[in-house]
Amino acid sequence: MDLLLKGGWVVTHERVEQADVAIKGEKIAALGPDLEAPGATVRDVTGKYILPGAIDAHVHYQMPIGDLLTADDWFTGTRLAACGGVTTVIDYAEPSGPEEPLTQSLAQRLAEARDQACVDYGLHQVVMAGQEEDSQELKKVVEKGVTSFKVFTTYNQRLSYAAIGRLLQQARQLGAMVTVHCEDHEIVTAKRQELEAGGRTAPAYHATSRPADAEIQAIQEVIRQAGEAGAPVYIVHVSTGGGAAAIAAARAQGRQVFGETCPHYLLLTDERYASPDCRLFLMCPPLRTAKDNRDLWQHLAGGDLQVVATDHCSYSPEQKAAGTAFYNTPSGVPGTETLLPLLYSYGVSRGWLTLPQMVRVLATNPARLFGLYPRKGRLAPGSDADLVVFDPRQEVTLQAAGLHSAAGYTIFAGFSLQGYPEATYLRGRLVYDRGQFLGQAGQGKFIPGQVSTS
Ligand code: URP
Ligand code: ZN
Ligand code: ZN
């Protein structure tokens, strides 16, 4: 054995038990009480939780939008992930336009990440208009280990609902998952025109410009398309109680509809858009109401939403300040580093989630949905030794200064946390310890997804 974590509380997706964890090379070798490991490095983790490393299934590093590039690149993005107890991230391979072959955009994205990533990573493949017809390219992408596609119902790269339906059919044949950004383009366009006509274009109108109904109607239509195609579907960044309710209703009928939400939709409201720093909180879809926060927690606790991810898409305050209107302010916020501690303090400690439920929404479920399980998302012998030593007694007040995003700010400034990651192990290697990043660029590996065989 190489490493023994001794005396802690092991949290799996099923239970919490007092057990030691032995690691050999990159894998978990044994789990149980009073393990002996002669010659191994021993870490006393008495009073701490041992969790499987979190998976942030929705991040955007060095993403170009117009002339801008997000503040976090593959190195800073995955470094801050390690510091927050996130050992796998899933980013996007995105063609520069519908004419760029999917496989070309995938090769380019893999090349960008290879020497820079500090934690393991997977990719979702963005599919643009017309590319949903190209079964050969879709198949090649899946064969290369990218088993999920991403489409948008709005933005320039949008697909029509009918095209999403065609992609769902292709994905069903390939055993792949289609993930969808749901905001109805017609509703969003009409709202923008109405606001522009009234001269109400300031960033403060962001939430008004993208109403809850735009999300709810898009989710309903995408679920309908998935039903016709007989395919599973995954809705990213659900921001509304109504959207989550649509997913819950489909699931109640036995449908394979899955939903992801983000900490900002659980914990922040659109009141932030009334403040002078509203641009820092501008993301799509926008923040909603306190009732939506509660409804989302309820749907998460009830199992109708399966994943909490962050949609980490960071711009600095200087980049954000260039925005003069809701439609030209860089959209997106940093979040990966605070994912786990926020879910613990505001999900587990407040009674919404049990510890195993937290492990499911942060690790096991995304690993299963995106073909990484049981290598990732499972704390058991044979799985990668991606582990977090979590100290439930450490008190932290979130501030940008304690965090590692190149964006230089956090939307959760001032949030009190009871509990914080003490150490992170990536495949058995210590990459973060008590405030210090100890990892290296290039040590993160691409983890190919496996298609579902069921
Ligand atoms: O505003 C956001 N969320 N930016 C990132 C791209 C997306 O829509 O997920
Ligand atoms: Zn999106
Ligand atoms: Zn996103």
Side-chain angles (χ1 to χ4, degrees):
M1 281 321 147
D2 299 316
L3 172 68
L4 185 61
L5 304 178
K6 212 163 176 47
W9 290 93
V10 168
V11 186
T12 70
H13 62 283
E14 288 168 327
R15 66 181 71 87
V16 184
E17 59 185 320
Q18 195 154 30
D20 302 337
V21 184
I23 291 122
K24 179 136 184 64
E26 298 196 337
K27 300 287 180 188
I28 298 170
L31 203 65
D34 304 320
L35 293 183
E36 298 292 333
T41 303
V42 179
R43 183 179 185 120
D44 178 1
V45 292
T46 306
K48 316 281 164 67
Y49 293 122
I50 314 294
L51 312 169
I55 298 173
D56 189 345
H58 188 158
V59 302
H60 304 272
Y61 300 142
Q62 59 195 65
M63 184 174 78
I65 293 199
D67 298 340
L68 281 182
L69 207 54
T70 50
D72 285 308
D73 57 20
W74 277 97
F75 173 66
T76 64
T78 52
R79 179 182 61 180
L80 68 85
C83 298
V86 173
T87 48
T88 305
V89 295
I90 314 183
D91 201 302
Y92 296 84
E94 179 158 354
S96 50
E99 65 293 334
E100 183 181 1
L102 298 177
T103 43
Q104 186 175 309
S105 68
L106 173 56
Q108 189 193 326
R109 201 66 175 140
L110 286 169
E112 279 170 18
R114 197 179 48 232
D115 297 332
Q116 295 302 312
C118 309
V119 299
D120 288 348
Y121 55 96
L123 291 172
H124 307 286
Q125 176 68 54
V126 174
V127 175
M128 293 187 181
Q131 295 178 318
E132 80 282 359
E133 313 266 14
D134 193 343
S135 43
Q136 284 314 308
E137 276 288 288
L138 294 168
K139 184 164 178 268
K140 281 187 204 159
V141 163
V142 172
E143 285 167 356
K144 288 175 192 295
V146 173
T147 58
S148 43
F149 303 121
K150 167 77 177 286
V151 292
F152 299 84
T153 61
T154 188
Y155 298 156
N156 290 340
Q157 59 272 61
R158 72 188 169 275
L159 257 63
S160 67
Y161 293 118
I164 292 173
R166 290 194 291 277
L167 180 66
L168 282 157
Q169 284 176 16
Q170 301 257 22
R172 177 173 51 79
Q173 282 164 11
L174 293 168
M177 177 72 81
V178 176
T179 74
V180 192
H181 171 128
C182 285
E183 288 181 290
D184 183 83
H185 190 63
E186 272 185 32
I187 296 180
V188 167
T189 307
K191 206 71 200 169
R192 174 172 166 177
Q193 281 165 0
E194 179 193 317
L195 288 167
E196 280 187 304
R200 296 186 293 160
T201 59
Y205 291 104
H206 178 58
T208 319
S209 77
R210 306 182 89 89
D213 239 20
E215 173 172 285
I216 297 164
Q217 288 194 28
I219 290 178
Q220 285 168 341
E221 181 56 27
V222 165
I223 289 174
R224 204 180 67 73
Q225 293 288 344
E228 284 191 0
V233 71
Y234 176 99
I235 313 296
V236 302
H237 53 43
V238 176
S239 66
T240 58
I247 293 169
R251 291 178 64 81
Q253 294 168 5
R255 298 274 310 281
Q256 284 208 299
V257 177
F258 305 97
E260 161 200 292
T261 191
C262 308
H264 42 272
Y265 301 125
L266 293 163
L267 296 170
L268 300 175
T269 69
D270 56 6
E271 285 170 19
R272 301 284 171 155
Y273 299 122
S275 80
D277 60 359
C278 61
R279 290 174 182 79
L280 301 185
F281 297 86
L282 193 148
M283 81 292 283
C284 296
L287 299 172
R288 308 292 185 185
T289 66
K291 178 170 183 334
D292 289 297
N293 296 159
R294 275 194 306 279
D295 289 350
L296 290 171
W297 277 119
Q298 241 149 27
H299 284 293
L300 191 64
D304 289 320
L305 296 173
Q306 292 70 40
V307 173
V308 182
T310 69
D311 196 10
H312 184 102
C313 181
S314 62
Y315 296 99
S316 66
E318 295 71 30
Q319 289 175 305
K320 289 268 193 183
T324 54
F326 59 76
Y327 51 78
N328 65 17
T329 300
S331 173
V333 295
T336 300
E337 194 170 4
T338 49
L339 170 66
L340 166 59
L342 283 169
L343 254 267
Y344 179 77
S345 283
Y346 291 88
V348 175
S349 298
R350 297 217 166 160
W352 286 112
L353 302 175
T354 63
L355 276 163
Q357 267 181 311
M358 181 183 80
V359 163
R360 291 204 283 277
V361 300
L362 291 184
T364 313
N365 292 347
R368 284 196 160 126
L369 288 163
F370 299 119
L372 307 176
Y373 191 85
R375 180 171 177 184
K376 303 292 187 189
R378 187 181 76 142
L379 205 169
S383 292
D384 279 359
D386 295 341
L387 299 166
V388 181
V389 178
F390 191 87
D391 182 356
R393 280 184 301 275
Q394 189 179 344
E395 292 180 11
V396 171
T397 302
L398 283 175
Q399 295 298 344
L403 299 170
H404 298 81
S405 171
Y409 80 98
T410 170
I411 53 173
F412 299 105
F415 272 63
S416 298
L417 302 178
Q418 170 84 46
Y420 208 78
E422 176 185 287
T424 307
Y425 291 88
L426 174 71
R427 284 181 275 103
R429 270 176 71 170
L430 186 61
V431 290
Y432 169 80
D433 199 6
R434 297 183 175 92
Q436 296 300 312
F437 173 68
L438 302 173
Q440 275 171 12
Q443 76 189 103
K445 281 190 196 163
F446 173 63
I447 310 294
Q450 312 286 321
V451 290
S452 122
T453 47
S454 60

